[in-house]
Amino acid sequence: MDNIKNGYSEESIQILEGLDAVRKRPGMYIGSTDQRGLHQLVWEIMDNSIDEALSGFGDEIRLTIKSDNSVIIEDFGRGLPYKKHQSGLYTTEVIFNMLHSGGKFSEASGYKVSGGLHGVGAAVVNALSLFLEVTIYRDNYIHQQRFSDGGKKIGPLKNLGATKKRGTVVWFKPDPKVFSTTLFNYDYIKERMKESAFLIPNLKMVLNDERNNQKEVFQYERGIVEFVEYLSKGKSFDEVKRLSGTYQARKEHTISIETAVSFTSSYQENIISFVNNVRTKDGGTHETGFKSALTRAFNDYARKYGFLKEKDNNIEGVDLREGITAVLSLRIPESILEFEGQTKSKLGTPEARAAMENVIYDQFTYYLEENVDFANNLIKRANDAYKAREAARKARLEARSDRKRNKREVSLSGKLTPATSKDNTITELFLVEGDSAGGSAKQGRNRVFQAILPLRGKVINSERVNLDALLKNEEINTIIHAIGADFGEEFNIEKCNYSKIIIMTDADDDGAHIQVLLLTFFFRYMKPLIENGRLFIANPPLYKITKGRGKNENIFYAWDEEELKKHTEKNQVTIQRFKGLGEMNFEQLWETTMNPKTRTLIQVLIEDEGEAEKKVSTLMGSQVMPRRDWIEQNVDFETDDDFIVKEHSYE
Ligand code: 28F
C-alpha cells in the first residue's frame, strides 16, 4: 500500500501490473489452481533453498506446515541479498515483487531450471498469497520484509536486530480466493522432499506438520543408490550398480550423468529420471539413450561370448529390462536444455542421448565383463521374458482374429449388459461385485448410458503372474473385451468404449480386496485410464435413515458416522445399516450410488508415480516379507490408503 500512497512511481505501477497478471491468469504461471498448483508454490520457494544448497551453501532445509495451512521454508545458506538495488528498490522487492524475465537467479548456478519459472517463482508465490514474510539472516543482522493481499508490500525492509545465523526463511499463506483448495498434503510434500534428499547426498530435509505433529527427516549419504535400494527393497536380487560419468557436449558444455540400476524379481520396468533435480516424468532423450546403451552393451556381450547364435538375432531391450529399477540423474547446463510436451516434462536435448549412450555403454559393458554370474543370469531372465512375451503375443493375435471375435461376443453377451448408446463420451461401465448386486444394478441403471458387468469369479492378482497367465483369467479377459481398447503397451484410450469405468463393490473386506485387485490390474495394464481420470470407485452409503411413517415417511442416506449423527440428533428415526450392495433394492441403489445427479464417485488418481509403483509391487508382489514389514509399519485401519487420493466429484 505504501508505494501507492507515496506517489505513483513507475516502478510501483509496473509491479502491481505484473502481479496482477499473475492473479488474473494463475494457471499460466503455476499450471493450475487445484491441489497441484497449490503445491507448486511450495516447490518454487523450496527450489530456491535447494539451489542455494547445490551451490554449496547450507546443508539443511526445513519445511513447516502451520495449523492455519500456511507454510514456512527455512534454509541455512548465505541469506538472500537484501541491499538496495540500483533501481532504488530493495533486492527483496525485486525478487518478491517483480516478474523480471530471463531469470537473474538462473545465471548464478548455471543449472537452474525448475518449474520453468526462471527465477520469478518467488514473485508468483507472493502474488498468489494472503501474506508473505521473508526473513534474512545475513551480515550479522536479521532483516525482514512483509507483503500481504497478493504481494502488496506492507512496509520497507526492517532490521530486527543482531544475529549470528545465516540463511533465508519464507513464510506464506496461499490465497483461498485463488485456489480451489488451500489444504496442504503432507504425503505429497514428503515425497518431494524425500526425492530431493536422495538426489542431493547428505542434504538434510526436515518436514514438520503442526496440524497433527508429524515430523520426518530425510538424509541420505549414498544418494540415488539409496533411492534405488528403497524402490527395489525386498525384490532386488543383486547389489545396486552405480553407473556414472561425464560427456562433453557442444563446445564448453559438460553433461554429467549419475545412474543407479538394479534388477528385481518384479515383471515391471521402473525407470525414474531427473534433469537438474527436476523430474522428467515423460522421459526423453536421456531415457532413450540409457535404454539403447543397455541393449547394445548387452547384445555385444552376448554375441562376444556365443550366447547369440545367429548373426542378426538380437535380444530385445524390453526383455532385458523386465524388472529393472533405475534412477537417472543428469546435470545439463541451462544453455543447452530443451523440454518438450504439454507439461514440459520430457527432455529434448539431443546431446543427452549421446551422453547416455556413451557413458552407460562403457560402464555397463565393463560391469558385465567383471560380473559373469550377473551377466549369465541376465541372459537367462531376458530369455524367459522373451518366451512369456511371445506367448502373450500369440494369445493377443488369437483374441483379435475374426473367428474368435464372434466367440468373444458370444462369451461377453452372457455377462455384459450393454448400454443402448454407443457414444463413448457419455457411456459408463459398472464393474459390480457378485451376481445379486449385478442384478439390482441392471434393474436400477439408466439403460441409455450405463452398462453393467457383474464379476462372478476371482479376479487374478496381476502383479504376481506374467501376461500369459493373466489373459487366461476369465474376469480379466471379460473386462479387457468389454472396454475394447486392448491393454498394456497396446492400450489405446481412444478406443475405450466408456467415458467412466466404475468399480462398485460391497463396503466390506471382500469388496476392498476386489477393489485392490482391479486397481492393480488397471494400474499395470491400463494406466492411461487412471491418468485421464476415467477410473472411479462407487461410493454406496453405509446407512439408511427413515423418518416418520406412512405418508410422512422421509428417507435419508448417510455415508459416515458424522452424517448419521446429523440426521439422528433430534428425531425419532429408524436406522438401517447397509452391509452390502445386495441389501439395497434397485431403486435405492440407483438413487444413492448410480444416479449422476445424486451419487458421489471416488476418482482414482496417481499422486506420486514412484510411490504408487513401490506400493503396488510391495503390497501385491510375490514376496511376503516386504509386504509384512510394510503393513506393520504403515497400516492404520482408521485412515484412507494414500495410494489413492480420494477425491469426491459431485456431479
Ligand atoms: C526459503 C527460501 O530463497 N534462499 C535463497 C539465496 C542466496 C543468494 C541468492 C538466494 C542475487 C540477486 C539473484 C547469496 N549470496 N530460500 C531462499 N538463498 N538467492 S535465494 O542470490 C540471488 C541472486 O538476485 C546469494 C551470494 N550470492 C547469492
Side-chain angles (χ1 to χ4, degrees):
M1 291 307 243
D2 265 14
N3 50 8
I4 296 178
K5 247 192 291 173
N6 299 345
Y8 304 94
S9 76
E10 235 165 68
E11 267 135 9
S12 58
I13 289 169
Q14 266 176 14
I15 287 168
L16 291 175
E17 279 177 353
L19 295 190
D20 211 40
V22 179
R23 287 183 70 86
K24 275 214 178 96
R25 290 203 174 74
M28 293 261 293
Y29 297 86
I30 53 165
S32 61
T33 52
D34 55 8
Q35 176 160 305
R36 197 156 278 170
L38 177 77
H39 288 79
Q40 188 62 40
L41 303 187
V42 175
W43 318 147
E44 290 301 333
I45 300 297
M46 196 162 70
D47 281 351
N48 292 336
S49 294
I50 289 175
D51 268 10
E52 182 66 359
L54 276 172
S55 314
F57 303 95
D59 50 11
E60 180 172 338
I61 297 169
R62 294 184 190 157
L63 188 149
T64 304
I65 308 171
K66 307 291 284 180
S67 315
D68 67 347
N69 268 291
S70 63
V71 163
I72 302 181
I73 299 170
E74 178 174 18
D75 70 47
F76 301 85
R78 289 168 291 184
L80 189 71
Y82 59 87
K83 289 185 180 150
K84 278 208 169 148
H85 202 245
Q86 68 248 33
S87 63
L89 293 166
Y90 291 109
T91 311
T92 44
E93 290 165 19
V94 176
I95 292 195
F96 287 92
N97 265 169
M98 291 178 71
L99 294 177
H100 45 85
S101 57
K104 288 200 175 114
F105 267 110
S106 38
E107 281 147 29
S109 71
Y111 283 121
K112 162 97 184 177
V113 280
S114 46
L117 287 188
H118 295 285
V120 300
V124 169
V125 173
N126 200 11
L128 303 177
S129 291
L130 269 188
F131 73 77
L132 183 144
E133 177 189 283
V134 53
T135 312
I136 296 161
Y137 300 81
R138 192 177 159 108
D139 299 336
N140 300 316
Y141 282 96
I142 307 171
H143 316 270
Q144 188 177 74
Q145 190 163 28
R146 304 169 81 180
F147 305 85
S148 78
D149 204 9
K152 299 189 184 90
K153 82 176 170 186
I154 296 175
L157 185 79
K158 282 188 183 144
N159 186 323
L160 299 187
T163 184
K164 290 230 159 4
K165 246 173 82 172
R166 295 209 71 165
T168 309
V169 183
V170 170
W171 180 19
F172 70 95
K173 186 173 159 79
D175 191 339
K177 292 190 287 299
V178 174
F179 295 95
S180 59
T181 169
T182 49
L183 273 185
F184 284 108
N185 180 325
Y186 182 87
D187 288 335
Y188 203 16
I189 294 174
K190 166 185 154 169
E191 285 316 312
R192 182 81 171 221
M193 291 182 79
K194 192 168 178 173
E195 198 172 275
S196 297
F198 277 129
L199 290 168
I200 306 165
N202 296 316
L203 176 64
K204 185 173 177 185
M205 300 291 274
V206 181
L207 170 58
N208 201 340
D209 190 343
E210 291 186 355
R211 295 171 302 186
N212 55 2
N213 293 319
Q214 268 189 96
K215 186 176 171 174
E216 276 177 284
V217 179
F218 308 105
Q219 189 174 28
Y220 307 99
E221 267 175 36
R222 293 174 300 118
I224 60 170
V225 168
E226 266 177 281
F227 199 166
V228 171
E229 283 172 3
Y230 161 75
L231 291 171
S232 62
K233 189 176 163 220
K235 48 178 181 155
S236 181
F237 59 74
D238 60 348
E239 57 168 359
V240 176
K241 288 154 275 296
R242 184 174 177 274
L243 312 175
S244 64
T246 57
Y247 176 84
Q248 212 56 44
R250 275 174 258 176
K251 281 193 220 133
E252 283 133 54
H253 301 307
T254 306
I255 295 181
S256 62
I257 293 170
E258 208 199 338
T259 70
V261 185
S262 158
F263 289 86
T264 73
S265 54
S266 141
Y267 295 105
Q268 300 306 316
E269 176 180 318
N270 185 16
I271 299 175
I272 302 178
S273 62
F274 299 86
V275 174
N276 301 348
N277 298 310
V278 178
R279 176 82 184 264
T280 36
K281 194 167 81 29
D282 299 326
T285 48
H286 52 341
E287 284 194 16
T288 310
F290 175 76
K291 290 178 188 173
S292 76
L294 287 190
T295 311
R296 200 159 51 86
F298 191 63
N299 273 294
D300 287 356
Y301 177 91
R303 187 159 286 112
K304 181 173 167 189
Y305 293 101
F307 290 103
L308 287 178
K309 294 282 149 25
E310 277 155 58
K311 199 170 113 280
D312 36 36
N313 205 3
N314 273 336
I315 297 169
E316 287 198 35
V318 282
D319 297 328
L320 165 65
R321 293 193 303 272
E322 189 175 278
I324 197 174
T325 299
V327 172
L328 322 180
S329 174
L330 279 80
R331 286 293 158 85
I332 303 179
E334 197 182 8
S335 48
I336 60 165
L337 207 50
E338 293 166 34
F339 286 104
E340 293 169 353
Q342 222 170 23
T343 53
K344 298 277 171 233
S345 44
K346 183 173 182 185
L347 183 67
T349 307
E351 284 92 339
R353 178 177 179 157
M356 291 302 261
E357 276 179 352
N358 277 279
V359 171
I360 302 301
Y361 177 83
D362 288 352
Q363 299 247 319
F364 195 54
T365 300
Y366 181 78
Y367 191 86
L368 290 171
E369 293 279 1
E370 294 291 306
N371 298 275
V372 177
D373 288 349
F374 167 78
N376 291 346
N377 190 1
L378 216 51
I379 286 176
K380 186 186 161 300
R381 284 168 51 103
N383 199 32
D384 290 348
Y386 170 74
K387 282 189 201 147
R389 196 162 53 87
E390 270 301 290
R393 191 180 61 87
K394 282 192 191 129
R396 204 178 237 150
L397 272 181
E398 268 178 38
R400 280 201 198 126
S401 77
D402 275 348
R403 204 162 41 87
K404 289 270 175 170
R405 185 177 296 253
N406 288 337
K407 225 180 183 179
R408 180 210 316 161
E409 265 156 24
V410 171
S411 81
L412 211 52
S413 75
K415 295 169 187 157
L416 178 75
T417 306
T420 54
S421 167
K422 293 279 168 265
D423 176 359
N424 72 356
T425 62
I426 58 160
T427 47
E428 302 178 343
L429 176 67
F430 282 83
L431 303 174
V432 187
E433 171 187 3
D435 265 337
S436 93
S440 310
K442 262 182 234 175
Q443 272 188 289
R445 74 184 173 131
N446 179 323
R447 57 179 54 243
V448 176
F449 66 94
Q450 295 182 320
I452 309 294
L453 182 64
L455 301 172
R456 301 179 178 123
K458 260 254 165 257
V459 176
I460 201 168
N461 180 350
S462 327
E463 192 65 17
R464 283 195 215 172
V465 296
N466 64 22
L467 260 182
D468 196 21
L470 182 76
L471 294 178
K472 292 201 173 105
N473 180 256
E474 175 104 10
E475 304 303 318
I476 293 289
N477 227 315
T478 317
I479 292 171
I480 293 173
H481 288 150
I483 292 175
D486 217 319
F487 64 93
E489 300 270 287
E490 311 281 310
F491 181 76
N492 178 359
I493 194 146
E494 316 254 288
K495 286 207 229 145
C496 176
N497 287 332
Y498 303 95
S499 71
K500 291 188 172 74
I501 314 284
I502 302 165
I503 300 171
M504 188 159 79
T505 66
D506 291 339
D508 59 10
D509 287 354
D510 278 348
H513 190 207
I514 292 172
Q515 276 181 23
V516 166
L517 291 167
L518 288 171
L519 288 173
T520 303
F521 169 72
F522 286 119
F523 181 75
R524 282 293 177 228
Y525 294 98
M526 296 191 182
K527 200 183 271 175
L529 268 188
I530 305 179
E531 290 166 344
N532 286 276
R534 282 161 81 163
L535 185 64
F536 297 84
I537 296 171
N539 191 21
L542 291 177
Y543 304 98
K544 176 184 174 186
I545 303 128
T546 315
K547 295 183 190 172
R549 268 165 211 276
K551 262 196 175 169
N552 296 324
E553 187 181 277
N554 261 320
I555 292 171
F556 302 90
Y557 300 97
W559 274 258
D560 56 36
E561 312 294 326
E562 210 172 301
E563 272 177 300
L564 180 67
K565 240 202 225 148
K566 258 190 256 158
H567 287 295
T568 52
E569 255 163 14
K570 303 183 223 75
N571 306 295
Q572 196 59 21
V573 296
T574 323
I575 301 165
Q576 179 194 350
R577 194 186 146 92
F578 292 123
K579 288 200 200 71
L581 298 169
E583 286 181 20
M584 276 182 266
N585 63 34
F586 71 90
E587 283 144 329
Q588 291 171 336
L589 190 62
W590 161 252
E591 199 181 322
T592 61
T593 316
M594 297 178 72
N595 179 357
K597 292 213 169 71
T598 46
R599 73 186 177 194
T600 320
L601 293 179
I602 298 166
Q603 189 173 35
V604 180
L605 294 170
I606 301 169
E607 197 171 41
D608 183 278
E609 182 72 32
E611 190 62 12
E613 171 62 46
K614 188 173 157 57
K615 281 188 189 169
V616 170
S617 61
T618 309
L619 296 177
M620 306 304 290
S622 49
Q623 295 195 27
V624 179
M625 283 309 286
R627 174 166 46 253
R628 215 184 63 184
D629 289 351
W630 190 91
I631 291 172
E632 271 174 15
Q633 284 169 26
N634 292 286
V635 176
D636 168 358
F637 291 94
E638 300 293 302
T639 61
D640 289 343
D641 186 352
D642 46 3
F643 161 50
I644 309 163
V645 192
K646 295 192 169 171
E647 266 195 13
H648 299 256
S649 75
Y650 296 94
E651 290 162 296

